[in-house]
Amino acid sequence: MKSKTFSVKHECRQLLVYVCIVVICRFVYFGLHLENGKIPTLKVGFGDDIRDMTSFIPFYFLVDRYDGWKMNIIGNITMFIPVGIVWPICFSRLDTIRKTIFAGAGFTLLIEVTQLFCLGRHTDVDDLILNTIGVAIGAYIVFLIRRRQKKE
C-alpha cells in the first residue's frame, strides 16, 4: 500500500464504476415504487412457484402480460448505457466493443441469477437482452469517439 501512488484520475474512474453498480442495484433489487415514502426492504428467499419468478421466452412477458412494457424497455436499455461507456474507460482489458458487450452481458446475467433469491423480483430473459443492448449502445459511443480521436 505504501508503494502505490495516489492518482485522482484513477480514483475518479473507480468511483464512476461504483456509481454505475450502485444505481443499477438500487433499481434492480428494490424496484421503483416507494412504500410509505421509503425504498422498500430487500426480501431474500424463494417464492412459492419459481415459474412465477422467471421468464425464458423472449418478449412474451414484456408485451403480453405487462402494461408498462414501453417504460421497461426504455429503462432497461438506458440504465445500462453508462456501463458500456464507463467500463471500457476504466478497465484497460475491455479494449474492444465485443469484450465490453460480453462483460456487460455477464454482469446482467449475474444480476438476473441473483434475483432468483429475492422475493418479489423476476428473472427475465428480456432484461438480459435489453440490458446488453444498453451496454452495446454505450460501448459503440465510446469506441466511435476513440476511433475519431485516432484519426485526428
Side-chain angles (χ1 to χ4, degrees), residues 5-100:
T5 59
F6 178 78
S7 167
V8 173
K9 185 177 179 180
H10 174 76
E11 296 302 320
C12 287
R13 286 180 175 176
Q14 294 304 310
L15 182 61
L16 283 173
V17 172
Y18 297 135
V19 167
C20 283
I21 292 170
V22 168
V23 168
I24 288 170
C25 288
R26 187 279 181 234
F27 289 109
V28 166
Y29 294 110
F30 298 99
L32 295 174
H33 304 290
L34 300 178
E35 293 177 5
N36 299 323
K38 297 180 181 179
I39 297 172
T41 306
L42 178 64
K43 297 171 184 91
V44 178
F46 293 100
D48 295 333
D49 190 359
I50 195 153
R51 290 174 291 185
D52 291 336
M53 297 174 56
T54 58
S55 174
F56 297 110
I57 301 169
F59 304 109
Y60 168 74
F61 180 73
L62 186 65
V63 177
D64 293 343
R65 296 174 40 192
Y66 181 60
D67 291 335
W69 62 274
K70 290 178 186 176
M71 188 56 151
N72 191 21
I73 290 172
I74 293 167
N76 276 303
I77 291 173
T78 57
M79 184 169 51
F80 277 80
I81 290 173
V83 171
I85 294 171
V86 170
W87 285 18
I89 292 171
C90 296
F91 301 116
S92 59
R93 288 187 179 180
L94 299 179
D95 56 355
T96 66
I97 292 173
R98 173 177 270 156
K99 288 179 184 178
T100 304

